[in-house]
Amino acid sequence: MKKNISLFLMIFISVFTFAQKTVSGKITDDDGVAIPSASVTIEESGKDAILAYGITNSKGEYKVTFTSAESNVDLKVKAFNQKPVTKQISNTDQNLSFKMQSEATEIKEVQLKTKMITARGDTISYDLKAFNSKNDRTLADVMKKIPGIEVNKDGTILYQGNAINKFYVNGKDLMEGGYGTINNSLPKDAVQKVEVLENHQPVKILQDKVPSDQAAINIKLKNSVTMTGRGEVGTGFGDPWLWNVKLTPMFFGQKSQWVVNYKTNNMGEQVENEGNILAFGSGWEGRRSNISQNNWLDVENASVPDLPVKRYLMNSVHYLSANYLTNIDKKKEWELKANANYTNNAVERESNSTITDIQQGTKYNTKFLNNFYTDKVKGELIFTKNAKKGFFKNTTTFSQFWNADRALAERRGSIGNEALESPTSSFQNSLSTIIPWKEKMVNFKSYISYQDDKQILEISPAEYLQFPYKVSDTAQLATIKFTPGSTALQYFRIKSLDTSHSANISFSTKGWTFTPQVGIDFSTDRLTTNFDGITDDNKPDFTGFAYENDLKFTKINPNASVGINYKSEAWSLFANFPVNFNNIKAEDAFRNVSKSLNKTTFTPNVFAQYSFASFFKASLNGSISNNFGDIQTAYAGYILTSPGGFNVMNPKNPIPQTTTKSAGARLEYRNPLNNIFFNAGYRLSDAKNNLLASSAVNEFGFSVIEYIESENKRTNNSYYAEIGKYFPKFKTNASLNYNNTNSKSQSRRNEQDINTRTDGNTLGFKLNNTYFSWMSFDFNMTKSWNKQSNGIIQDDLGKTEGYTHNLNVFFYPLENHTIGFYWDQINSKLGQTKLNNGFFDVSYQFSWAKKKVDFELKWMNIGDRKVFERINVGDATITQTTMQLRPSQVMFTVKFNFK
């Protein structure tokens, strides 16, 4: 770890080895009139390497900061209809002004070309035409090829390795973070450029006062009023008959915007997550989150392969969503947004595993066949005013789930049927307003959330469950003997109320903004559970309090903090210094237990960023946080959270406490002049807990997990680097990334303390090319090496390797004809065991150019590979699993734009 820190610091400090120099001045013409928008670049003499650049303002003034080891550098000035100026200058701070001579040139032919990547201030613009290929149809197809931008598997857009905070279309935030629908369905032909807004503060009244370290994306359309969208209709041959329908019309106007989206298929495409919130904006806007259930109970689940979802997802899904935005005042400051979505989904999954327990020297098999049923609806109403003179945002959200899961489980020849019903109702309201008061700003925030979760888990026959349990108060384990033919039933219900209210006042002076705040957070959870089962010998006694819970868990947290922000041309700083007065109480009437915690904590966080030499940004961050657990770590009665085993807390345990310290450093370089993007960083975190999970596992793989009082730590440190470059001459975008992570953790299994150390290395490479008129390709590769050791898993048992690649090649033999070839390769290795999984698809597409309609015939999984194989290493087990895949299938699809 010390070597890693030293290496990073050497790289980090080397940037500052040579002092920065600043050149400033004014550019005028022969008559002394200022020339705006003239470019000023600093280059190393004879190397044609740009060190820094600047653009003159409306007064003709410029300022360029650069770093160089050379004694002299070249300064070049260019402006339209002016003769370029080149002058060699010394590597010192200086003020230089220039008069440019007019240069009239007779132009015989004019050809306008937009630059691929341009930069102005904190905005970097990408011309979409420079990065697309003939086979691309949507914004998402092209977005993946833009240097500096990545798109994760879940749809999250990253810029320089960090998630964006906003996604705009023509400057409006219609989707409120759920931008997957637009990214996947907006035709590329409607887009003029993609703009990256670096260090974007979405709350206008806070701009130039409270900085941000996140970027935003703005999609600038060709027309200010655009009616567009994307659709697909497909059918296919397989088992069963296949269908695929996608209809996503959308409208973007100056006053209103809307998107309607209906998607349904049973051919393995996951569309129901398009409504997930991927960008959360600024904390000043209030609180928003993806609504999820409190799923404490679960059936035993089949494993999922590390493959693209389309390879294994056995689904039948219907997803409908609608988003609407309109301005409700003449000044266009107030916006009303309404969105709703409905999901109906059925998923089938199957896997077989062989588990080797190294600690106990046993081996057993499991087989799980699942059916998951999702039925949910969500509605949201948002009122927003985002202006320079005030801010208001109120978000009201309602969600309802009617989910159900089924499992047919087999373990060591014993079969069990498992059924789970999970209805949930959820309501949230978030309000935030910022009011200017003289030279100050007053911010009020209020958040209220109420959720009611019910779950009923049923297992039959109950004798499938062969749980270990402690005999009386001894450490000896015996196996529960359920009555043959009986049913085991776990009932669960939790009602949760969570509120947060705060007020602060901000005042600014000379680039500094100070924000003192007071607030109070209050939450209360009421948990009731009961396990019902029949045993031959009445051991253990399920009618007693040991298998029931009636727990009330309450948190009251008055808090006060001071936020400090600074923004200048080169520096961005934001820090928060909160003091929390934590009051926590857990009351369990069944066990006559009432325990509490009253503790004052100081949890500061700091971020500082320095921009220099036009292209570099260096940043440091650090934080301390405290988590005192929740009701999920405070209950004392046994709960059958899964048919795999009970979970329980000792009633004598104190309130759980976790203290986490983290720090990081990061260096970024982005140069739109030569299309290079680079970032490197180091992260370190240390989490200390007062409770430790202790599991008792028998030879059948069933367990009881008990949380005991024992201080333990989890440390994690990693360093990473990524570099990307676009080669315009070859129409090629390439990037290389590397990540190294070292972690240590502690656990206890069958009375044995386990200290696990994990070392992981990942190397990634991405390349796409559109140089040839007859071919284009995309290639993504990841190679990983991992080593785990803890005294049980050690030597070759803990060494694993993985390799994956995805290759898409498109050939264009004739105009409007495309042949596609797709190759997914996933390999894994443990010791001498090697598992190789290859998948191949082919497609033919004819494009009716006049109508912008595509006809595609695609054959997927040509080799008809039925299963996927994988090896996993746990703390004390090695699991080899085969998972069911989608069979070979042929799809015919018609794809079109709405306009």
Side-chain angles (χ1 to χ4, degrees), residues 270-293:
Q270 193 174 43
V271 298
E272 64 274 14
N273 293 332
E274 281 194 344
N276 286 354
I277 301 173
L278 303 174
F280 294 91
S282 165
W284 294 84
E285 298 180 75
R287 287 173 60 177
R288 259 179 109 234
S289 62
N290 287 308
I291 308 303
S292 60
Q293 298 178 279

mmCIF file of all heavy atoms in Angstrom, residues 270-293:
data_model
loop_
_atom_site.group_PDB
_atom_site.id
_atom_site.type_symbol
_atom_site.label_atom_id
_atom_site.label_comp_id
_atom_site.label_asym_id
_atom_site.label_seq_id
_atom_site.Cartn_x
_atom_site.Cartn_y
_atom_site.Cartn_z
ATOM 1 N N GLN A 270 -33.700 -6.302 -21.804
ATOM 2 C CA GLN A 270 -34.128 -5.711 -20.535
ATOM 3 C C GLN A 270 -34.464 -4.237 -20.773
ATOM 4 O O GLN A 270 -33.587 -3.400 -20.928
ATOM 5 C CB GLN A 270 -33.016 -5.841 -19.499
ATOM 6 C CG GLN A 270 -33.438 -5.551 -18.079
ATOM 7 C CD GLN A 270 -32.316 -5.852 -17.097
ATOM 8 O OE1 GLN A 270 -31.165 -5.515 -17.336
ATOM 9 N NE2 GLN A 270 -32.639 -6.506 -15.999
ATOM 10 N N VAL A 271 -35.735 -3.902 -20.775
ATOM 11 C CA VAL A 271 -36.178 -2.531 -21.047
ATOM 12 C C VAL A 271 -36.807 -1.874 -19.832
ATOM 13 O O VAL A 271 -36.968 -0.655 -19.792
ATOM 14 C CB VAL A 271 -37.190 -2.509 -22.221
ATOM 15 C CG1 VAL A 271 -36.538 -3.026 -23.485
ATOM 16 C CG2 VAL A 271 -38.433 -3.332 -21.886
ATOM 17 N N GLU A 272 -37.140 -2.650 -18.818
ATOM 18 C CA GLU A 272 -37.892 -2.122 -17.675
ATOM 19 C C GLU A 272 -37.076 -1.199 -16.789
ATOM 20 O O GLU A 272 -37.646 -0.480 -15.953
ATOM 21 C CB GLU A 272 -38.470 -3.266 -16.837
ATOM 22 C CG GLU A 272 -37.434 -4.166 -16.171
ATOM 23 C CD GLU A 272 -36.956 -5.296 -17.065
ATOM 24 O OE1 GLU A 272 -37.207 -5.254 -18.286
ATOM 25 O OE2 GLU A 272 -36.324 -6.234 -16.528
ATOM 26 N N ASN A 273 -35.745 -1.182 -16.955
ATOM 27 C CA ASN A 273 -34.905 -0.322 -16.115
ATOM 28 C C ASN A 273 -34.649 1.049 -16.728
ATOM 29 O O ASN A 273 -33.896 1.847 -16.172
ATOM 30 C CB ASN A 273 -33.564 -1.011 -15.829
ATOM 31 C CG ASN A 273 -33.727 -2.237 -14.953
ATOM 32 O OD1 ASN A 273 -34.656 -2.328 -14.161
ATOM 33 N ND2 ASN A 273 -32.835 -3.192 -15.110
ATOM 34 N N GLU A 274 -35.253 1.328 -17.885
ATOM 35 C CA GLU A 274 -35.010 2.617 -18.530
ATOM 36 C C GLU A 274 -35.496 3.794 -17.686
ATOM 37 O O GLU A 274 -35.006 4.906 -17.826
ATOM 38 C CB GLU A 274 -35.688 2.659 -19.899
ATOM 39 C CG GLU A 274 -34.924 1.921 -20.966
ATOM 40 C CD GLU A 274 -35.417 2.244 -22.364
ATOM 41 O OE1 GLU A 274 -36.533 2.788 -22.489
ATOM 42 O OE2 GLU A 274 -34.695 1.947 -23.315
ATOM 43 N N GLY A 275 -36.463 3.556 -16.813
ATOM 44 C CA GLY A 275 -36.972 4.634 -15.980
ATOM 45 C C GLY A 275 -36.170 4.874 -14.717
ATOM 46 O O GLY A 275 -36.485 5.780 -13.938
ATOM 47 N N ASN A 276 -35.116 4.079 -14.472
ATOM 48 C CA ASN A 276 -34.300 4.262 -13.270
ATOM 49 C C ASN A 276 -33.618 5.620 -13.278
ATOM 50 O O ASN A 276 -33.175 6.115 -14.304
ATOM 51 C CB ASN A 276 -33.239 3.173 -13.161
ATOM 52 C CG ASN A 276 -33.823 1.838 -12.750
ATOM 53 O OD1 ASN A 276 -35.010 1.731 -12.438
ATOM 54 N ND2 ASN A 276 -33.010 0.805 -12.766
ATOM 55 N N ILE A 277 -33.519 6.233 -12.090
ATOM 56 C CA ILE A 277 -32.823 7.509 -11.960
ATOM 57 C C ILE A 277 -31.329 7.229 -11.994
ATOM 58 O O ILE A 277 -30.791 6.489 -11.176
ATOM 59 C CB ILE A 277 -33.211 8.211 -10.646
ATOM 60 C CG1 ILE A 277 -34.713 8.453 -10.593
ATOM 61 C CG2 ILE A 277 -32.479 9.545 -10.509
ATOM 62 C CD1 ILE A 277 -35.207 8.978 -9.259
ATOM 63 N N LEU A 278 -30.635 7.839 -12.953
ATOM 64 C CA LEU A 278 -29.198 7.635 -13.128
ATOM 65 C C LEU A 278 -28.395 8.868 -12.753
ATOM 66 O O LEU A 278 -27.197 8.775 -12.488
ATOM 67 C CB LEU A 278 -28.902 7.248 -14.580
ATOM 68 C CG LEU A 278 -29.638 6.010 -15.113
ATOM 69 C CD1 LEU A 278 -29.358 5.825 -16.599
ATOM 70 C CD2 LEU A 278 -29.252 4.757 -14.335
ATOM 71 N N ALA A 279 -29.030 10.045 -12.759
ATOM 72 C CA ALA A 279 -28.364 11.296 -12.383
ATOM 73 C C ALA A 279 -29.216 11.984 -11.324
ATOM 74 O O ALA A 279 -30.419 12.159 -11.509
ATOM 75 C CB ALA A 279 -28.197 12.202 -13.603
ATOM 76 N N PHE A 280 -28.593 12.373 -10.206
ATOM 77 C CA PHE A 280 -29.345 12.852 -9.057
ATOM 78 C C PHE A 280 -29.219 14.352 -8.821
ATOM 79 O O PHE A 280 -29.690 14.870 -7.820
ATOM 80 C CB PHE A 280 -28.905 12.091 -7.803
ATOM 81 C CG PHE A 280 -29.265 10.643 -7.847
ATOM 82 C CD1 PHE A 280 -28.383 9.702 -8.362
ATOM 83 C CD2 PHE A 280 -30.499 10.205 -7.415
ATOM 84 C CE1 PHE A 280 -28.715 8.365 -8.430
ATOM 85 C CE2 PHE A 280 -30.845 8.862 -7.477
ATOM 86 C CZ PHE A 280 -29.951 7.938 -7.984
ATOM 87 N N GLY A 281 -28.571 15.075 -9.745
ATOM 88 C CA GLY A 281 -28.507 16.521 -9.621
ATOM 89 C C GLY A 281 -27.705 16.977 -8.425
ATOM 90 O O GLY A 281 -26.714 16.368 -8.035
ATOM 91 N N SER A 282 -28.143 18.064 -7.814
ATOM 92 C CA SER A 282 -27.460 18.668 -6.670
ATOM 93 C C SER A 282 -28.251 18.440 -5.398
ATOM 94 O O SER A 282 -29.492 18.411 -5.413
ATOM 95 C CB SER A 282 -27.287 20.174 -6.922
ATOM 96 O OG SER A 282 -26.950 20.853 -5.741
ATOM 97 N N GLY A 283 -27.538 18.292 -4.273
ATOM 98 C CA GLY A 283 -28.213 18.136 -2.994
ATOM 99 C C GLY A 283 -29.074 19.332 -2.622
ATOM 100 O O GLY A 283 -29.986 19.225 -1.793
ATOM 101 N N TRP A 284 -28.801 20.486 -3.247
ATOM 102 C CA TRP A 284 -29.620 21.679 -2.995
ATOM 103 C C TRP A 284 -31.022 21.531 -3.589
ATOM 104 O O TRP A 284 -31.929 22.295 -3.233
ATOM 105 C CB TRP A 284 -28.939 22.913 -3.590
ATOM 106 C CG TRP A 284 -27.651 23.271 -2.933
ATOM 107 C CD1 TRP A 284 -26.420 22.756 -3.202
ATOM 108 C CD2 TRP A 284 -27.455 24.223 -1.884
ATOM 109 N NE1 TRP A 284 -25.466 23.323 -2.396
ATOM 110 C CE2 TRP A 284 -26.073 24.237 -1.578
ATOM 111 C CE3 TRP A 284 -28.308 25.076 -1.182
ATOM 112 C CZ2 TRP A 284 -25.536 25.052 -0.602
ATOM 113 C CZ3 TRP A 284 -27.769 25.895 -0.209
ATOM 114 C CH2 TRP A 284 -26.402 25.879 0.085
ATOM 115 N N GLU A 285 -31.203 20.570 -4.478
ATOM 116 C CA GLU A 285 -32.519 20.371 -5.105
ATOM 117 C C GLU A 285 -33.441 19.506 -4.256
ATOM 118 O O GLU A 285 -34.586 19.270 -4.633
ATOM 119 C CB GLU A 285 -32.343 19.720 -6.471
ATOM 120 C CG GLU A 285 -31.559 20.545 -7.469
ATOM 121 C CD GLU A 285 -31.424 19.832 -8.804
ATOM 122 O OE1 GLU A 285 -32.412 19.790 -9.541
ATOM 123 O OE2 GLU A 285 -30.327 19.319 -9.089
ATOM 124 N N GLY A 286 -32.967 18.999 -3.124
ATOM 125 C CA GLY A 286 -33.775 18.105 -2.309
ATOM 126 C C GLY A 286 -33.302 16.669 -2.462
ATOM 127 O O GLY A 286 -32.200 16.401 -2.950
ATOM 128 N N ARG A 287 -34.144 15.733 -2.054
ATOM 129 C CA ARG A 287 -33.775 14.316 -2.083
ATOM 130 C C ARG A 287 -34.639 13.551 -3.069
ATOM 131 O O ARG A 287 -35.857 13.722 -3.121
ATOM 132 C CB ARG A 287 -33.927 13.706 -0.679
ATOM 133 C CG ARG A 287 -32.859 14.154 0.290
ATOM 134 C CD ARG A 287 -33.141 13.662 1.702
ATOM 135 N NE ARG A 287 -33.204 12.212 1.805
ATOM 136 C CZ ARG A 287 -33.384 11.557 2.958
ATOM 137 N NH1 ARG A 287 -33.513 12.253 4.092
ATOM 138 N NH2 ARG A 287 -33.426 10.254 2.982
ATOM 139 N N ARG A 288 -33.974 12.695 -3.873
ATOM 140 C CA ARG A 288 -34.655 11.806 -4.795
ATOM 141 C C ARG A 288 -33.894 10.506 -4.852
ATOM 142 O O ARG A 288 -32.672 10.492 -4.739
ATOM 143 C CB ARG A 288 -34.709 12.415 -6.198
ATOM 144 C CG ARG A 288 -36.038 13.043 -6.541
ATOM 145 C CD ARG A 288 -36.021 13.650 -7.917
ATOM 146 N NE ARG A 288 -36.842 12.871 -8.822
ATOM 147 C CZ ARG A 288 -36.424 12.377 -9.970
ATOM 148 N NH1 ARG A 288 -35.181 12.541 -10.330
ATOM 149 N NH2 ARG A 288 -37.244 11.715 -10.744
ATOM 150 N N SER A 289 -34.608 9.408 -5.032
ATOM 151 C CA SER A 289 -33.935 8.113 -5.092
ATOM 152 C C SER A 289 -34.773 7.157 -5.923
ATOM 153 O O SER A 289 -35.966 7.395 -6.170
ATOM 154 C CB SER A 289 -33.719 7.535 -3.684
ATOM 155 O OG SER A 289 -34.978 7.320 -3.048
ATOM 156 N N ASN A 290 -34.135 6.077 -6.369
ATOM 157 C CA ASN A 290 -34.884 4.996 -6.999
ATOM 158 C C ASN A 290 -35.661 4.256 -5.918
ATOM 159 O O ASN A 290 -35.080 3.774 -4.951
ATOM 160 C CB ASN A 290 -33.933 4.043 -7.718
ATOM 161 C CG ASN A 290 -33.359 4.632 -8.983
ATOM 162 O OD1 ASN A 290 -34.100 5.116 -9.834
ATOM 163 N ND2 ASN A 290 -32.040 4.602 -9.116
ATOM 164 N N ILE A 291 -36.957 4.192 -6.062
ATOM 165 C CA ILE A 291 -37.791 3.557 -5.054
ATOM 166 C C ILE A 291 -37.580 2.048 -5.093
ATOM 167 O O ILE A 291 -37.637 1.423 -6.155
ATOM 168 C CB ILE A 291 -39.282 3.887 -5.286
ATOM 169 C CG1 ILE A 291 -39.473 5.404 -5.404
ATOM 170 C CG2 ILE A 291 -40.128 3.322 -4.157
ATOM 171 C CD1 ILE A 291 -38.976 6.176 -4.217
ATOM 172 N N SER A 292 -37.293 1.480 -3.930
ATOM 173 C CA SER A 292 -37.084 0.035 -3.845
ATOM 174 C C SER A 292 -37.818 -0.516 -2.638
ATOM 175 O O SER A 292 -38.146 0.205 -1.700
ATOM 176 C CB SER A 292 -35.593 -0.292 -3.747
ATOM 177 O OG SER A 292 -35.032 0.299 -2.593
ATOM 178 N N GLN A 293 -38.082 -1.802 -2.680
ATOM 179 C CA GLN A 293 -38.757 -2.466 -1.569
ATOM 180 C C GLN A 293 -37.772 -2.808 -0.457
ATOM 181 O O GLN A 293 -36.582 -2.960 -0.696
ATOM 182 C CB GLN A 293 -39.437 -3.741 -2.062
ATOM 183 C CG GLN A 293 -40.526 -3.508 -3.096
ATOM 184 C CD GLN A 293 -41.133 -4.805 -3.573
ATOM 185 O OE1 GLN A 293 -40.568 -5.480 -4.438
ATOM 186 N NE2 GLN A 293 -42.277 -5.179 -3.015
#
